[in-house]
Amino acid sequence: MVCVWCDASYDDKTKKCGLGIVIKQLVLGGIKESRIQVKDCAIDNNEAELKAIRLGIMHVDKPLREPIHIVTDSMVAINALKDPEHCPEKYKALVKNIIHCMGGERVRIYHCKGHNQKGNKYSNIQAICDKLAKKAYRD
């Protein structure tokens, strides 16, 4: 099983963003956890969220026998990936690239409300992604 948590921070004035990703993957002998933070630029916060998803998928060890579970707080990203033909034109190339990066792997996408005060099984790791994204943006 592979779980990829993704989040992004974004500054509308500078167009700079930070991407935060946590990947947990079952490997022989246990669980491999990767934490990634990258500074980038984006046209808006939704593109930044999509870039975080792409980066997470790119860092998953493939091929897999089970689906990749992606957790994000971006409904725009979820809807774009579920229906790429009807996503906003400005995201189509990036969404197409994400689908290509999936390389035929099965993917399940889950929404986790960002900055959630009530805990659920995703919120603690999503909070780590938020911190990674903010730290990447500031560095």
PDB file of all heavy atoms in Angstrom, residues 66-102:
ATOM      1  N   GLU A  66      -0.698  -2.555  -5.726  1.00  0.00           N
ATOM      2  CA  GLU A  66      -1.878  -1.947  -5.118  1.00  0.00           C
ATOM      3  C   GLU A  66      -1.969  -0.488  -5.552  1.00  0.00           C
ATOM      4  O   GLU A  66      -0.986   0.096  -5.986  1.00  0.00           O
ATOM      5  CB  GLU A  66      -1.787  -2.039  -3.597  1.00  0.00           C
ATOM      6  CG  GLU A  66      -1.791  -3.476  -3.103  1.00  0.00           C
ATOM      7  CD  GLU A  66      -1.837  -3.567  -1.590  1.00  0.00           C
ATOM      8  OE1 GLU A  66      -2.309  -2.611  -0.953  1.00  0.00           O
ATOM      9  OE2 GLU A  66      -1.416  -4.598  -1.068  1.00  0.00           O
ATOM     10  N   PRO A  67      -3.155   0.113  -5.408  1.00  0.00           N
ATOM     11  CA  PRO A  67      -3.317   1.508  -5.837  1.00  0.00           C
ATOM     12  C   PRO A  67      -2.531   2.491  -4.968  1.00  0.00           C
ATOM     13  O   PRO A  67      -2.193   2.199  -3.825  1.00  0.00           O
ATOM     14  CB  PRO A  67      -4.818   1.769  -5.712  1.00  0.00           C
ATOM     15  CG  PRO A  67      -5.379   0.657  -4.924  1.00  0.00           C
ATOM     16  CD  PRO A  67      -4.395  -0.463  -4.916  1.00  0.00           C
ATOM     17  N   ILE A  68      -2.264   3.635  -5.554  1.00  0.00           N
ATOM     18  CA  ILE A  68      -1.677   4.760  -4.833  1.00  0.00           C
ATOM     19  C   ILE A  68      -2.848   5.549  -4.238  1.00  0.00           C
ATOM     20  O   ILE A  68      -3.779   5.917  -4.942  1.00  0.00           O
ATOM     21  CB  ILE A  68      -0.865   5.675  -5.771  1.00  0.00           C
ATOM     22  CG1 ILE A  68       0.272   4.915  -6.437  1.00  0.00           C
ATOM     23  CG2 ILE A  68      -0.346   6.896  -5.006  1.00  0.00           C
ATOM     24  CD1 ILE A  68       0.978   5.702  -7.538  1.00  0.00           C
ATOM     25  N   HIS A  69      -2.794   5.803  -2.931  1.00  0.00           N
ATOM     26  CA  HIS A  69      -3.817   6.598  -2.253  1.00  0.00           C
ATOM     27  C   HIS A  69      -3.258   8.010  -2.078  1.00  0.00           C
ATOM     28  O   HIS A  69      -2.252   8.187  -1.396  1.00  0.00           O
ATOM     29  CB  HIS A  69      -4.163   5.994  -0.892  1.00  0.00           C
ATOM     30  CG  HIS A  69      -4.732   4.617  -1.001  1.00  0.00           C
ATOM     31  ND1 HIS A  69      -6.081   4.370  -1.043  1.00  0.00           N
ATOM     32  CD2 HIS A  69      -4.125   3.410  -1.121  1.00  0.00           C
ATOM     33  CE1 HIS A  69      -6.290   3.074  -1.158  1.00  0.00           C
ATOM     34  NE2 HIS A  69      -5.118   2.464  -1.204  1.00  0.00           N
ATOM     35  N   ILE A  70      -3.902   8.970  -2.717  1.00  0.00           N
ATOM     36  CA  ILE A  70      -3.463  10.362  -2.638  1.00  0.00           C
ATOM     37  C   ILE A  70      -4.425  11.116  -1.735  1.00  0.00           C
ATOM     38  O   ILE A  70      -5.642  11.027  -1.903  1.00  0.00           O
ATOM     39  CB  ILE A  70      -3.443  11.018  -4.034  1.00  0.00           C
ATOM     40  CG1 ILE A  70      -2.451  10.284  -4.938  1.00  0.00           C
ATOM     41  CG2 ILE A  70      -3.096  12.500  -3.924  1.00  0.00           C
ATOM     42  CD1 ILE A  70      -2.514  10.703  -6.377  1.00  0.00           C
ATOM     43  N   VAL A  71      -3.875  11.875  -0.798  1.00  0.00           N
ATOM     44  CA  VAL A  71      -4.689  12.674   0.129  1.00  0.00           C
ATOM     45  C   VAL A  71      -4.315  14.137  -0.083  1.00  0.00           C
ATOM     46  O   VAL A  71      -3.141  14.509  -0.001  1.00  0.00           O
ATOM     47  CB  VAL A  71      -4.433  12.260   1.597  1.00  0.00           C
ATOM     48  CG1 VAL A  71      -5.322  13.074   2.529  1.00  0.00           C
ATOM     49  CG2 VAL A  71      -4.666  10.768   1.792  1.00  0.00           C
ATOM     50  N   THR A  72      -5.315  14.965  -0.356  1.00  0.00           N
ATOM     51  CA  THR A  72      -5.101  16.388  -0.589  1.00  0.00           C
ATOM     52  C   THR A  72      -6.259  17.180   0.007  1.00  0.00           C
ATOM     53  O   THR A  72      -7.348  16.634   0.206  1.00  0.00           O
ATOM     54  CB  THR A  72      -4.972  16.699  -2.099  1.00  0.00           C
ATOM     55  OG1 THR A  72      -4.803  18.108  -2.285  1.00  0.00           O
ATOM     56  CG2 THR A  72      -6.187  16.237  -2.874  1.00  0.00           C
ATOM     57  N   ASP A  73      -6.017  18.460   0.247  1.00  0.00           N
ATOM     58  CA  ASP A  73      -7.100  19.319   0.731  1.00  0.00           C
ATOM     59  C   ASP A  73      -7.703  20.147  -0.406  1.00  0.00           C
ATOM     60  O   ASP A  73      -8.525  21.023  -0.172  1.00  0.00           O
ATOM     61  CB  ASP A  73      -6.633  20.220   1.878  1.00  0.00           C
ATOM     62  CG  ASP A  73      -5.535  21.188   1.474  1.00  0.00           C
ATOM     63  OD1 ASP A  73      -5.090  21.172   0.311  1.00  0.00           O
ATOM     64  OD2 ASP A  73      -5.099  21.963   2.339  1.00  0.00           O
ATOM     65  N   SER A  74      -7.315  19.858  -1.652  1.00  0.00           N
ATOM     66  CA  SER A  74      -7.762  20.638  -2.802  1.00  0.00           C
ATOM     67  C   SER A  74      -8.845  19.916  -3.600  1.00  0.00           C
ATOM     68  O   SER A  74      -8.556  18.980  -4.356  1.00  0.00           O
ATOM     69  CB  SER A  74      -6.575  20.948  -3.719  1.00  0.00           C
ATOM     70  OG  SER A  74      -7.023  21.553  -4.908  1.00  0.00           O
ATOM     71  N   MET A  75     -10.076  20.383  -3.481  1.00  0.00           N
ATOM     72  CA  MET A  75     -11.165  19.815  -4.280  1.00  0.00           C
ATOM     73  C   MET A  75     -10.988  20.154  -5.757  1.00  0.00           C
ATOM     74  O   MET A  75     -11.387  19.373  -6.619  1.00  0.00           O
ATOM     75  CB  MET A  75     -12.525  20.318  -3.783  1.00  0.00           C
ATOM     76  CG  MET A  75     -12.982  19.657  -2.491  1.00  0.00           C
ATOM     77  SD  MET A  75     -13.019  17.836  -2.538  1.00  0.00           S
ATOM     78  CE  MET A  75     -14.175  17.517  -3.860  1.00  0.00           C
ATOM     79  N   VAL A  76     -10.390  21.292  -6.073  1.00  0.00           N
ATOM     80  CA  VAL A  76     -10.138  21.640  -7.482  1.00  0.00           C
ATOM     81  C   VAL A  76      -9.207  20.600  -8.102  1.00  0.00           C
ATOM     82  O   VAL A  76      -9.450  20.114  -9.212  1.00  0.00           O
ATOM     83  CB  VAL A  76      -9.554  23.067  -7.606  1.00  0.00           C
ATOM     84  CG1 VAL A  76      -9.079  23.340  -9.029  1.00  0.00           C
ATOM     85  CG2 VAL A  76     -10.582  24.101  -7.182  1.00  0.00           C
ATOM     86  N   ALA A  77      -8.152  20.228  -7.386  1.00  0.00           N
ATOM     87  CA  ALA A  77      -7.219  19.217  -7.901  1.00  0.00           C
ATOM     88  C   ALA A  77      -7.910  17.863  -8.045  1.00  0.00           C
ATOM     89  O   ALA A  77      -7.735  17.168  -9.056  1.00  0.00           O
ATOM     90  CB  ALA A  77      -6.006  19.105  -6.978  1.00  0.00           C
ATOM     91  N   ILE A  78      -8.699  17.496  -7.053  1.00  0.00           N
ATOM     92  CA  ILE A  78      -9.414  16.217  -7.112  1.00  0.00           C
ATOM     93  C   ILE A  78     -10.339  16.185  -8.320  1.00  0.00           C
ATOM     94  O   ILE A  78     -10.336  15.233  -9.106  1.00  0.00           O
ATOM     95  CB  ILE A  78     -10.199  15.967  -5.805  1.00  0.00           C
ATOM     96  CG1 ILE A  78      -9.229  15.686  -4.659  1.00  0.00           C
ATOM     97  CG2 ILE A  78     -11.186  14.820  -5.975  1.00  0.00           C
ATOM     98  CD1 ILE A  78      -9.872  15.650  -3.287  1.00  0.00           C
ATOM     99  N   ASN A  79     -11.132  17.228  -8.502  1.00  0.00           N
ATOM    100  CA  ASN A  79     -12.074  17.265  -9.622  1.00  0.00           C
ATOM    101  C   ASN A  79     -11.353  17.285 -10.967  1.00  0.00           C
ATOM    102  O   ASN A  79     -11.805  16.650 -11.929  1.00  0.00           O
ATOM    103  CB  ASN A  79     -13.016  18.456  -9.490  1.00  0.00           C
ATOM    104  CG  ASN A  79     -13.966  18.299  -8.323  1.00  0.00           C
ATOM    105  OD1 ASN A  79     -14.302  17.184  -7.921  1.00  0.00           O
ATOM    106  ND2 ASN A  79     -14.398  19.410  -7.757  1.00  0.00           N
ATOM    107  N   ALA A  80     -10.229  17.984 -11.050  1.00  0.00           N
ATOM    108  CA  ALA A  80      -9.464  18.028 -12.299  1.00  0.00           C
ATOM    109  C   ALA A  80      -8.928  16.648 -12.664  1.00  0.00           C
ATOM    110  O   ALA A  80      -8.937  16.254 -13.837  1.00  0.00           O
ATOM    111  CB  ALA A  80      -8.321  19.037 -12.185  1.00  0.00           C
ATOM    112  N   LEU A  81      -8.464  15.902 -11.677  1.00  0.00           N
ATOM    113  CA  LEU A  81      -7.924  14.575 -11.950  1.00  0.00           C
ATOM    114  C   LEU A  81      -9.022  13.552 -12.228  1.00  0.00           C
ATOM    115  O   LEU A  81      -8.811  12.613 -13.004  1.00  0.00           O
ATOM    116  CB  LEU A  81      -7.036  14.115 -10.795  1.00  0.00           C
ATOM    117  CG  LEU A  81      -5.724  14.881 -10.685  1.00  0.00           C
ATOM    118  CD1 LEU A  81      -5.041  14.590  -9.362  1.00  0.00           C
ATOM    119  CD2 LEU A  81      -4.800  14.534 -11.848  1.00  0.00           C
ATOM    120  N   LYS A  82     -10.174  13.724 -11.620  1.00  0.00           N
ATOM    121  CA  LYS A  82     -11.280  12.795 -11.865  1.00  0.00           C
ATOM    122  C   LYS A  82     -11.927  13.023 -13.231  1.00  0.00           C
ATOM    123  O   LYS A  82     -12.459  12.099 -13.831  1.00  0.00           O
ATOM    124  CB  LYS A  82     -12.331  12.915 -10.755  1.00  0.00           C
ATOM    125  CG  LYS A  82     -11.899  12.270  -9.465  1.00  0.00           C
ATOM    126  CD  LYS A  82     -13.006  12.294  -8.442  1.00  0.00           C
ATOM    127  CE  LYS A  82     -12.586  11.534  -7.197  1.00  0.00           C
ATOM    128  NZ  LYS A  82     -13.630  11.513  -6.184  1.00  0.00           N
ATOM    129  N   ASP A  83     -11.902  14.257 -13.710  1.00  0.00           N
ATOM    130  CA  ASP A  83     -12.528  14.594 -14.991  1.00  0.00           C
ATOM    131  C   ASP A  83     -11.620  15.549 -15.780  1.00  0.00           C
ATOM    132  O   ASP A  83     -11.913  16.740 -15.915  1.00  0.00           O
ATOM    133  CB  ASP A  83     -13.901  15.228 -14.746  1.00  0.00           C
ATOM    134  CG  ASP A  83     -14.701  15.397 -16.014  1.00  0.00           C
ATOM    135  OD1 ASP A  83     -14.262  14.944 -17.085  1.00  0.00           O
ATOM    136  OD2 ASP A  83     -15.793  16.000 -15.938  1.00  0.00           O
ATOM    137  N   PRO A  84     -10.484  15.032 -16.291  1.00  0.00           N
ATOM    138  CA  PRO A  84      -9.510  15.903 -16.942  1.00  0.00           C
ATOM    139  C   PRO A  84     -10.027  16.640 -18.176  1.00  0.00           C
ATOM    140  O   PRO A  84      -9.547  17.721 -18.508  1.00  0.00           O
ATOM    141  CB  PRO A  84      -8.362  14.963 -17.317  1.00  0.00           C
ATOM    142  CG  PRO A  84      -8.813  13.590 -17.035  1.00  0.00           C
ATOM    143  CD  PRO A  84     -10.063  13.648 -16.239  1.00  0.00           C
ATOM    144  N   GLU A  85     -11.009  16.079 -18.843  1.00  0.00           N
ATOM    145  CA  GLU A  85     -11.564  16.730 -20.044  1.00  0.00           C
ATOM    146  C   GLU A  85     -12.298  18.021 -19.712  1.00  0.00           C
ATOM    147  O   GLU A  85     -12.374  18.920 -20.539  1.00  0.00           O
ATOM    148  CB  GLU A  85     -12.499  15.770 -20.782  1.00  0.00           C
ATOM    149  CG  GLU A  85     -11.787  14.576 -21.392  1.00  0.00           C
ATOM    150  CD  GLU A  85     -10.741  14.975 -22.416  1.00  0.00           C
ATOM    151  OE1 GLU A  85     -11.015  15.857 -23.256  1.00  0.00           O
ATOM    152  OE2 GLU A  85      -9.626  14.410 -22.352  1.00  0.00           O
ATOM    153  N   HIS A  86     -12.839  18.106 -18.495  1.00  0.00           N
ATOM    154  CA  HIS A  86     -13.623  19.277 -18.126  1.00  0.00           C
ATOM    155  C   HIS A  86     -12.932  20.162 -17.079  1.00  0.00           C
ATOM    156  O   HIS A  86     -13.581  21.042 -16.519  1.00  0.00           O
ATOM    157  CB  HIS A  86     -15.010  18.833 -17.622  1.00  0.00           C
ATOM    158  CG  HIS A  86     -15.824  18.194 -18.704  1.00  0.00           C
ATOM    159  ND1 HIS A  86     -15.906  16.828 -18.847  1.00  0.00           N
ATOM    160  CD2 HIS A  86     -16.534  18.736 -19.713  1.00  0.00           C
ATOM    161  CE1 HIS A  86     -16.657  16.547 -19.891  1.00  0.00           C
ATOM    162  NE2 HIS A  86     -17.053  17.684 -20.433  1.00  0.00           N
ATOM    163  N   CYS A  87     -11.665  19.924 -16.834  1.00  0.00           N
ATOM    164  CA  CYS A  87     -10.960  20.785 -15.883  1.00  0.00           C
ATOM    165  C   CYS A  87     -10.654  22.118 -16.567  1.00  0.00           C
ATOM    166  O   CYS A  87     -10.630  22.203 -17.802  1.00  0.00           O
ATOM    167  CB  CYS A  87      -9.702  20.103 -15.351  1.00  0.00           C
ATOM    168  SG  CYS A  87      -8.273  20.117 -16.433  1.00  0.00           S
ATOM    169  N   PRO A  88     -10.404  23.165 -15.801  1.00  0.00           N
ATOM    170  CA  PRO A  88     -10.072  24.458 -16.404  1.00  0.00           C
ATOM    171  C   PRO A  88      -8.874  24.332 -17.358  1.00  0.00           C
ATOM    172  O   PRO A  88      -7.919  23.601 -17.086  1.00  0.00           O
ATOM    173  CB  PRO A  88      -9.736  25.346 -15.197  1.00  0.00           C
ATOM    174  CG  PRO A  88     -10.518  24.738 -14.075  1.00  0.00           C
ATOM    175  CD  PRO A  88     -10.493  23.258 -14.341  1.00  0.00           C
ATOM    176  N   GLU A  89      -8.947  25.027 -18.446  1.00  0.00           N
ATOM    177  CA  GLU A  89      -7.921  24.958 -19.494  1.00  0.00           C
ATOM    178  C   GLU A  89      -6.516  25.209 -18.950  1.00  0.00           C
ATOM    179  O   GLU A  89      -5.552  24.562 -19.371  1.00  0.00           O
ATOM    180  CB  GLU A  89      -8.250  25.976 -20.600  1.00  0.00           C
ATOM    181  CG  GLU A  89      -7.438  25.809 -21.846  1.00  0.00           C
ATOM    182  CD  GLU A  89      -7.679  24.494 -22.576  1.00  0.00           C
ATOM    183  OE1 GLU A  89      -8.823  24.017 -22.635  1.00  0.00           O
ATOM    184  OE2 GLU A  89      -6.690  23.932 -23.090  1.00  0.00           O
ATOM    185  N   LYS A  90      -6.399  26.127 -17.999  1.00  0.00           N
ATOM    186  CA  LYS A  90      -5.073  26.471 -17.475  1.00  0.00           C
ATOM    187  C   LYS A  90      -4.393  25.325 -16.732  1.00  0.00           C
ATOM    188  O   LYS A  90      -3.194  25.358 -16.504  1.00  0.00           O
ATOM    189  CB  LYS A  90      -5.139  27.720 -16.597  1.00  0.00           C
ATOM    190  CG  LYS A  90      -6.018  27.586 -15.364  1.00  0.00           C
ATOM    191  CD  LYS A  90      -6.112  28.926 -14.641  1.00  0.00           C
ATOM    192  CE  LYS A  90      -7.100  28.900 -13.512  1.00  0.00           C
ATOM    193  NZ  LYS A  90      -7.169  30.213 -12.841  1.00  0.00           N
ATOM    194  N   TYR A  91      -5.155  24.279 -16.348  1.00  0.00           N
ATOM    195  CA  TYR A  91      -4.574  23.133 -15.650  1.00  0.00           C
ATOM    196  C   TYR A  91      -4.440  21.899 -16.534  1.00  0.00           C
ATOM    197  O   TYR A  91      -3.856  20.905 -16.106  1.00  0.00           O
ATOM    198  CB  TYR A  91      -5.413  22.753 -14.425  1.00  0.00           C
ATOM    199  CG  TYR A  91      -5.705  23.891 -13.480  1.00  0.00           C
ATOM    200  CD1 TYR A  91      -6.994  24.124 -13.031  1.00  0.00           C
ATOM    201  CD2 TYR A  91      -4.690  24.732 -13.038  1.00  0.00           C
ATOM    202  CE1 TYR A  91      -7.274  25.172 -12.173  1.00  0.00           C
ATOM    203  CE2 TYR A  91      -4.964  25.777 -12.185  1.00  0.00           C
ATOM    204  CZ  TYR A  91      -6.253  25.994 -11.747  1.00  0.00           C
ATOM    205  OH  TYR A  91      -6.526  27.030 -10.892  1.00  0.00           O
ATOM    206  N   LYS A  92      -4.981  21.914 -17.738  1.00  0.00           N
ATOM    207  CA  LYS A  92      -5.057  20.705 -18.560  1.00  0.00           C
ATOM    208  C   LYS A  92      -3.697  20.075 -18.831  1.00  0.00           C
ATOM    209  O   LYS A  92      -3.556  18.857 -18.729  1.00  0.00           O
ATOM    210  CB  LYS A  92      -5.798  20.977 -19.866  1.00  0.00           C
ATOM    211  CG  LYS A  92      -7.293  21.006 -19.654  1.00  0.00           C
ATOM    212  CD  LYS A  92      -8.057  20.955 -20.940  1.00  0.00           C
ATOM    213  CE  LYS A  92      -9.529  20.986 -20.551  1.00  0.00           C
ATOM    214  NZ  LYS A  92     -10.402  20.555 -21.568  1.00  0.00           N
ATOM    215  N   ALA A  93      -2.704  20.857 -19.184  1.00  0.00           N
ATOM    216  CA  ALA A  93      -1.375  20.295 -19.487  1.00  0.00           C
ATOM    217  C   ALA A  93      -0.783  19.632 -18.237  1.00  0.00           C
ATOM    218  O   ALA A  93      -0.210  18.538 -18.323  1.00  0.00           O
ATOM    219  CB  ALA A  93      -0.447  21.374 -20.027  1.00  0.00           C
ATOM    220  N   LEU A  94      -0.913  20.273 -17.091  1.00  0.00           N
ATOM    221  CA  LEU A  94      -0.380  19.716 -15.845  1.00  0.00           C
ATOM    222  C   LEU A  94      -1.135  18.445 -15.451  1.00  0.00           C
ATOM    223  O   LEU A  94      -0.515  17.443 -15.066  1.00  0.00           O
ATOM    224  CB  LEU A  94      -0.452  20.750 -14.723  1.00  0.00           C
ATOM    225  CG  LEU A  94       0.061  20.329 -13.350  1.00  0.00           C
ATOM    226  CD1 LEU A  94       1.489  19.803 -13.407  1.00  0.00           C
ATOM    227  CD2 LEU A  94      -0.040  21.500 -12.372  1.00  0.00           C
ATOM    228  N   VAL A  95      -2.451  18.454 -15.580  1.00  0.00           N
ATOM    229  CA  VAL A  95      -3.251  17.269 -15.266  1.00  0.00           C
ATOM    230  C   VAL A  95      -2.865  16.118 -16.190  1.00  0.00           C
ATOM    231  O   VAL A  95      -2.696  14.980 -15.743  1.00  0.00           O
ATOM    232  CB  VAL A  95      -4.764  17.584 -15.337  1.00  0.00           C
ATOM    233  CG1 VAL A  95      -5.598  16.321 -15.305  1.00  0.00           C
ATOM    234  CG2 VAL A  95      -5.157  18.522 -14.196  1.00  0.00           C
ATOM    235  N   LYS A  96      -2.685  16.411 -17.471  1.00  0.00           N
ATOM    236  CA  LYS A  96      -2.257  15.383 -18.426  1.00  0.00           C
ATOM    237  C   LYS A  96      -0.893  14.821 -18.024  1.00  0.00           C
ATOM    238  O   LYS A  96      -0.661  13.617 -18.077  1.00  0.00           O
ATOM    239  CB  LYS A  96      -2.206  15.975 -19.834  1.00  0.00           C
ATOM    240  CG  LYS A  96      -1.873  14.986 -20.909  1.00  0.00           C
ATOM    241  CD  LYS A  96      -1.890  15.643 -22.283  1.00  0.00           C
ATOM    242  CE  LYS A  96      -1.519  14.639 -23.350  1.00  0.00           C
ATOM    243  NZ  LYS A  96      -1.516  15.237 -24.677  1.00  0.00           N
ATOM    244  N   ASN A  97       0.008  15.682 -17.572  1.00  0.00           N
ATOM    245  CA  ASN A  97       1.330  15.246 -17.126  1.00  0.00           C
ATOM    246  C   ASN A  97       1.234  14.376 -15.871  1.00  0.00           C
ATOM    247  O   ASN A  97       1.952  13.383 -15.740  1.00  0.00           O
ATOM    248  CB  ASN A  97       2.232  16.456 -16.879  1.00  0.00           C
ATOM    249  CG  ASN A  97       3.629  16.067 -16.513  1.00  0.00           C
ATOM    250  OD1 ASN A  97       4.014  16.178 -15.347  1.00  0.00           O
ATOM    251  ND2 ASN A  97       4.396  15.599 -17.485  1.00  0.00           N
ATOM    252  N   ILE A  98       0.344  14.725 -14.956  1.00  0.00           N
ATOM    253  CA  ILE A  98       0.149  13.918 -13.743  1.00  0.00           C
ATOM    254  C   ILE A  98      -0.339  12.525 -14.123  1.00  0.00           C
ATOM    255  O   ILE A  98       0.164  11.519 -13.619  1.00  0.00           O
ATOM    256  CB  ILE A  98      -0.840  14.603 -12.770  1.00  0.00           C
ATOM    257  CG1 ILE A  98      -0.217  15.871 -12.181  1.00  0.00           C
ATOM    258  CG2 ILE A  98      -1.256  13.642 -11.655  1.00  0.00           C
ATOM    259  CD1 ILE A  98      -1.195  16.757 -11.433  1.00  0.00           C
ATOM    260  N   ILE A  99      -1.297  12.469 -15.030  1.00  0.00           N
ATOM    261  CA  ILE A  99      -1.824  11.173 -15.473  1.00  0.00           C
ATOM    262  C   ILE A  99      -0.716  10.349 -16.128  1.00  0.00           C
ATOM    263  O   ILE A  99      -0.600   9.149 -15.899  1.00  0.00           O
ATOM    264  CB  ILE A  99      -3.040  11.374 -16.399  1.00  0.00           C
ATOM    265  CG1 ILE A  99      -4.201  11.945 -15.567  1.00  0.00           C
ATOM    266  CG2 ILE A  99      -3.436  10.069 -17.083  1.00  0.00           C
ATOM    267  CD1 ILE A  99      -5.364  12.475 -16.376  1.00  0.00           C
ATOM    268  N   HIS A 100       0.136  11.004 -16.897  1.00  0.00           N
ATOM    269  CA  HIS A 100       1.288  10.320 -17.499  1.00  0.00           C
ATOM    270  C   HIS A 100       2.237   9.799 -16.417  1.00  0.00           C
ATOM    271  O   HIS A 100       2.744   8.677 -16.504  1.00  0.00           O
ATOM    272  CB  HIS A 100       2.022  11.266 -18.457  1.00  0.00           C
ATOM    273  CG  HIS A 100       3.260  10.683 -19.039  1.00  0.00           C
ATOM    274  ND1 HIS A 100       3.227   9.727 -20.031  1.00  0.00           N
ATOM    275  CD2 HIS A 100       4.566  10.895 -18.754  1.00  0.00           C
ATOM    276  CE1 HIS A 100       4.463   9.378 -20.333  1.00  0.00           C
ATOM    277  NE2 HIS A 100       5.295  10.066 -19.569  1.00  0.00           N
ATOM    278  N   CYS A 101       2.484  10.596 -15.389  1.00  0.00           N
ATOM    279  CA  CYS A 101       3.373  10.183 -14.288  1.00  0.00           C
ATOM    280  C   CYS A 101       2.811   8.987 -13.522  1.00  0.00           C
ATOM    281  O   CYS A 101       3.564   8.210 -12.933  1.00  0.00           O
ATOM    282  CB  CYS A 101       3.604  11.345 -13.314  1.00  0.00           C
ATOM    283  SG  CYS A 101       4.633  12.649 -13.960  1.00  0.00           S
ATOM    284  N   MET A 102       1.493   8.837 -13.539  1.00  0.00           N
ATOM    285  CA  MET A 102       0.876   7.689 -12.874  1.00  0.00           C
ATOM    286  C   MET A 102       1.275   6.390 -13.569  1.00  0.00           C
ATOM    287  O   MET A 102       1.279   5.328 -12.949  1.00  0.00           O
ATOM    288  CB  MET A 102      -0.648   7.830 -12.867  1.00  0.00           C
ATOM    289  CG  MET A 102      -1.145   8.915 -11.965  1.00  0.00           C
ATOM    290  SD  MET A 102      -2.952   9.054 -12.119  1.00  0.00           S
ATOM    291  CE  MET A 102      -3.263  10.536 -11.201  1.00  0.00           C
TER     292      MET A 102
END
